[in-house]
Amino acid sequence: VQLQASGGGLVQPGGSLRLSCAASGSTFNINAMGWFRQAPGKQRELVAAITSGDSTNYADSVKGRFTISRDNAKNTVYLHMNSLKPEDTAVYYCNAKVVVTFVPYYEMDYWGKGTQVTVSS
């Protein structure tokens, strides 16, 4: 599975951005897709995730501001980011959890190259 992320950039506080992540290759066993971010000097953290059944999960810090969505026909996941804050500045990474075996159940993580999001005036 290959993940191609796009959409990062520089935005002023209060602004919006949309990140996209397109999956290719053996996509039929992708369970969940999501976005993580890593700010300088900090650990990588989950931002938002969405399962194949459209269940979503958000970090508390982005709830109400970010929305994750998925287009299964295009194997693409989107992260709509509104009301951006300087503390959202980070490199954002697309993630896919791919089921390798069902019995026993085993998943592997795949990562895309990061895309920089900078929120600054």
Side-chain angles (χ1 to χ4, degrees), residues 4 14 16 21 27 58 61 65 67 83 93 95 103-104 116 118:
Q4 181 66 48
S16 299
C21 176
T27 60
Y58 294 93
S61 59
R65 301 188 297 121
T67 302
S83 303
Y93 296 91
N95 169 267
V103 181
Q116 177 72 45
T118 302

Side-chain angles (χ1 to χ4, degrees), residues 7-105:
L10 172 65
V11 64
Q12 291 186 341
S16 299
L17 279 177
R18 188 185 78 164
L19 304 183
S20 301
C21 176
S24 60
S26 300
T27 60
F28 50 90
N29 271 349
I30 292 178
N31 181 15
M33 294 184 72
W35 293 92
F36 287 69
R37 68 186 180 187
Q38 188 166 18
K42 294 188 177 181
Q43 289 188 334
R44 190 174 296 190
E45 63 175 359
L46 172 70
V47 177
I50 185 167
T51 69
S52 56
D54 287 337
S55 294
T56 57
N57 183 34
Y58 294 93
D60 288 343
S61 59
V62 307
K63 283 181 181 176
R65 301 188 297 121
F66 291 10
T67 302
I68 190 168
S69 62
R70 184 170 178 166
D71 185 334
N72 289 326
K74 296 182 179 179
N75 291 314
T76 299
V77 65
Y78 304 97
L79 185 67
H80 305 263
M81 304 184 292
N82 297 319
S83 303
L84 282 159
K85 303 175 181 180
E87 50 264 42
D88 294 317
T89 296
V91 178
Y92 284 68
Y93 296 91
C94 180
N95 169 267
K97 295 191 179 297
V98 180
V99 179
V100 178
T101 61
F102 287 92
V103 181
Y105 190 82

Side-chain angles (χ1 to χ4, degrees), residues 99-117:
V99 179
V100 178
T101 61
F102 287 92
V103 181
Y105 190 82
Y106 176 63
E107 286 182 342
M108 279 188 65
D109 281 310
Y110 287 81
W111 296 93
K113 290 183 180 180
T115 184
Q116 177 72 45
V117 172

